[in-house]
Amino acid sequence: MLPAVINERVRLSVGAVGAQRVIGVVAGLVFVAGGTAFAVLPALASRWMTGFGGQAGGGECTVEGGTVDDLPPGLLEELGCSRSSSPFDWFEPVQLIGLLGLPFVVLGLGLVLRVLRSAVWLEGTHADVRGAVRTRRVDLSTAEITAGAVEQGSGHNRVRIPVLVARDPATGRRVTISLRGNAGGYLPPDELRALADAITRNRPGDGGRHGDAHAMARQLRERAERPLAI
């Protein structure tokens, strides 16, 4: 008989902690600061050059009994005025360069949110996976379960992290749960067993389309009995 699943909300040991979290947040803030500076400096430089060289775009003029558009071009130049052909004429071309900094701001904010928010909980047979912005929930006992891996690091420091991929066949919602603990190596044995129990709880017997799920659960239990570093 399968063991009862306690509907207690348990957080798995995944995600950055301690120094990893600090490094991730600092790196994200560096991207945010750099992107913000890149976005703002061209605008400040444009304003400074305008103030240094005079009114590059012309000043505001008031004409009694008419409008600026009624004045001849020569007189406009003497008055230091100009016609505005578009409400966006104030936007100098050099300021377009600043838009290149926005992706770095978004990247930095995403990194900070991911480091601070990423978490996985088990509640009965349900897994809640929280990312940088949203949280997804999948019932592991009815989901399609497959094994996978993601690569982290680069060069000689590159490692393959085993993951569990669960897909809700009804909605197509998919979650990915890392099997690497935040202390290195695999998740603690009790958490691996909890995942295996959630996968097989009330699931039809091994075979057919449920074969992959039962195979994954067996691997999790075997790993819990013989924990090894990744």
Side-chain angles (χ1 to χ4, degrees):
M1 186 175 75
L2 290 174
V5 175
I6 301 176
N7 291 324
E8 179 184 358
R9 189 172 172 84
V10 178
R11 181 167 180 169
L12 300 186
S13 304
V14 300
V17 293
Q20 295 177 340
R21 175 170 291 196
V22 172
I23 293 173
V25 171
V26 170
L29 293 178
V30 169
F31 275 100
V32 172
T36 301
F38 199 90
V40 172
L41 287 179
L44 295 178
S46 177
R47 288 180 177 273
W48 181 79
M49 292 299 294
T50 299
F52 181 79
Q55 293 181 329
E60 296 182 357
C61 297
T62 301
V63 180
E64 295 183 5
T67 64
V68 172
D69 292 335
D70 297 329
L71 300 177
L75 182 57
L76 286 177
E77 295 177 359
E78 293 179 5
L79 295 175
C81 302
S82 65
R83 292 186 176 90
S84 178
S85 59
S86 168
F88 299 102
D89 281 352
W90 59 270
F91 197 83
E92 297 292 337
V94 69
Q95 296 180 27
L96 292 174
I97 300 176
L99 297 178
L100 299 177
L102 296 182
F104 293 95
V105 176
V106 174
L107 177 63
L109 290 176
L111 179 58
V112 171
L113 290 175
R114 185 177 182 84
V115 170
L116 295 180
R117 284 178 49 83
S118 292
V120 180
W121 288 272
L122 277 182
E123 186 174 3
T125 61
H126 292 85
D128 294 325
V129 181
R130 188 176 70 185
V133 177
R134 60 182 177 176
T135 300
R136 292 188 174 187
R137 164 171 278 213
V138 169
D139 188 346
L140 298 181
S141 67
T142 59
E144 299 171 353
I145 306 295
T146 55
V150 296
E151 291 189 352
Q152 292 184 354
S154 59
H156 297 293
N157 296 323
R158 180 176 299 176
V159 294
R160 289 175 60 84
I161 307 300
V163 298
L164 180 156
V165 181
R167 178 183 176 276
D168 188 326
T171 64
R173 183 183 299 113
R174 184 191 302 267
V175 298
T176 300
I177 301 175
S178 173
L179 299 180
R180 180 181 184 180
N182 50 34
Y186 281 86
L187 293 174
D190 58 329
E191 296 180 7
L192 293 175
R193 295 189 188 97
L195 281 171
D197 292 342
I199 291 172
T200 56
R201 179 70 176 177
N202 297 326
R203 186 182 286 273
D206 197 347
R209 69 184 184 88
H210 297 285
D212 289 341
H214 284 282
M216 185 68 185
R218 284 196 298 270
Q219 292 177 24
L220 292 174
R221 293 189 176 103
E222 290 173 0
R223 184 62 63 185
E225 297 301 325
R226 297 180 292 103
L228 296 174
I230 296 175

